Amino acid sequence: MTYRLIGDSCTDLPLELKTDPCVKSVPLTIQIGPETVVDGEDFHQGELLQKMRAWPDAPKTACPAPSLYLEQFIEDGDNYVVTLSGQLSGSYNAAMQARAIYREEGGKGNVHVFNSRSASVGQAQIVLLVRELTARNLPFAQIVERVEAYIGRMKTLFVLENLDNLRKNGRLTKMQSLVTGALRVKLLCGSTPEGEILKLGQGLSIRQTLAKMVSRMAEDPDHADRRLMIAHCNCPERADILREMVRKKCRFGEILIVPTGGISTVYADDGGIIAAY
């Protein structure tokens, strides 16, 4: 069966998947002052970070229009859509609207929209799993069932140098903003089962907080033999350090490292680390 995998542009994929003809990206947009940046193939991380530093206010992001999802659906095949957490972005609702329009217009293909309840490499994990299951020629309904079960178990963790963009865009609770602003600590954060951001711990430095992240992974009995994905925002050395810390304490079957795309760069900011398994 022909299939298409469609992710919004917060899906931080390994390079080889970006050239896969079955994998398509639907761009979100980034507003920095008067300038609008499309998070697409022409994205340049260094330029975006420079613009973010130069503009005094936090960047704003906007989800894709339903029509952009609709353009990617194929007829007489299986369409799998992976979006940012519905609690953090309107991308999921836009994809669901596109699915409804597709049905109303007589589309004959299968369409399922996965609310990742995550972001960045959490979304990438879902894309990789769907791709693996389609390679086994499993039926559409079975793939959907298995992937939804995986999303229910998936863990997303992150440590950022700077939480200002998350805070200014209302992605943190007032308590998290207060603690971070007053004490200048580094927070270990994760996602709730619904896909909201949750504080899990804190440290006085990034290195100390990453160590807390690794300890949390090691204590999770469900992590063994799973794939760990790490996204970094302009800090490959830090991602390598985390990988070595993980190898010493955890039992993951595979570890992949990718750079953040545009949307993840906005919220992770320079030096941020995101992990999902």
Side-chain angles (χ1 to χ4, degrees):
M1 173 70 84
T2 305
Y3 77 93
R4 177 159 287 179
L5 259 164
I6 305 159
D8 66 37
S9 63
C10 192
T11 311
D12 291 329
L13 295 171
L15 181 60
E16 62 269 19
L17 282 191
K18 294 182 179 181
T19 57
D20 186 327
C22 294
V23 179
K24 301 295 180 179
S25 179
V26 174
L28 284 83
T29 56
I30 304 163
Q31 190 77 30
I32 305 176
E35 184 175 0
T36 299
V37 178
V38 177
D39 186 18
E41 293 179 358
D42 296 332
F43 163 71
H44 189 281
Q45 187 178 69
E47 291 178 3
L48 178 60
L49 288 170
Q50 185 175 14
K51 290 173 182 177
M52 287 165 56
R53 285 190 289 267
W55 190 255
D57 299 322
K60 304 292 183 182
T61 58
C63 68
S67 60
L68 294 180
Y69 281 109
L70 195 59
E71 290 171 3
Q72 297 297 340
F73 292 168
I74 57 173
E75 290 288 344
D76 299 322
D78 295 337
N79 298 278
Y80 303 95
V81 186
V82 182
T83 75
L84 264 161
S85 169
Q87 296 292 328
L88 301 177
S89 169
S91 186
Y92 173 71
N93 286 335
M96 290 297 288
Q97 290 175 40
R99 180 179 181 271
I101 295 169
Y102 180 77
R103 289 277 177 260
E104 290 170 5
E105 295 181 347
K108 297 178 182 178
N110 295 312
V111 180
H112 186 83
V113 181
F114 294 105
N115 175 4
S116 71
R117 292 177 257 165
S118 181
S120 181
V121 281
Q123 294 172 252
Q125 289 277 30
I126 297 165
V127 169
L128 285 168
L129 179 57
V130 172
R131 193 165 177 260
E132 290 163 4
L133 295 175
T134 56
R136 293 164 55 185
N137 294 316
L138 296 179
F140 180 80
Q142 191 172 346
I143 290 175
V144 168
E145 181 181 7
R146 291 194 181 193
V147 175
E148 288 288 2
Y150 172 77
I151 293 172
R153 302 192 310 272
M154 184 171 64
K155 309 292 194 311
T156 306
L157 306 169
F158 62 91
V159 177
L160 311 183
E161 282 277 11
N162 185 347
L163 288 163
D164 284 351
N165 289 340
L166 280 175
R167 177 175 56 80
K168 290 176 181 178
N169 282 286
R171 301 307 198 273
L172 295 178
T173 67
K174 291 181 180 179
M175 179 58 67
Q176 288 167 349
S177 300
L178 178 64
V179 168
T180 306
L183 302 180
R184 286 315 202 188
V185 296
K186 307 302 180 184
L187 296 187
L188 169 60
C189 296
S191 60
T192 67
E194 297 75 30
E196 295 181 295
I197 293 174
L198 172 71
K199 177 190 171 186
L200 298 173
Q202 64 189 53
L204 297 177
S205 68
I206 286 285
R207 183 76 178 242
Q208 185 183 84
T209 312
L210 288 175
K212 290 178 182 289
M213 174 192 284
V214 174
S215 294
R216 193 173 187 92
M217 293 175 183
E219 292 165 2
D220 181 355
D222 196 33
H223 88 273
D225 299 322
R226 294 176 71 170
R227 175 174 53 229
L228 172 68
M229 291 194 69
I230 300 168
H232 69 87
C233 183
N234 196 36
C235 56
E237 298 86 358
R238 183 170 286 168
D240 288 339
I241 289 169
L242 176 60
R243 175 169 55 189
E244 292 311 307
M245 294 167 69
V246 166
R247 282 175 172 167
K248 290 176 181 177
K249 295 193 68 172
C250 303
R251 294 180 291 125
F252 288 105
E254 180 183 15
I255 303 174
L256 300 178
I257 296 177
V258 298
T260 53
I263 298 300
S264 300
T265 293
V266 167
Y267 291 110
D269 212 338
D270 208 357
I273 291 285
I274 310 163
Y277 65 93

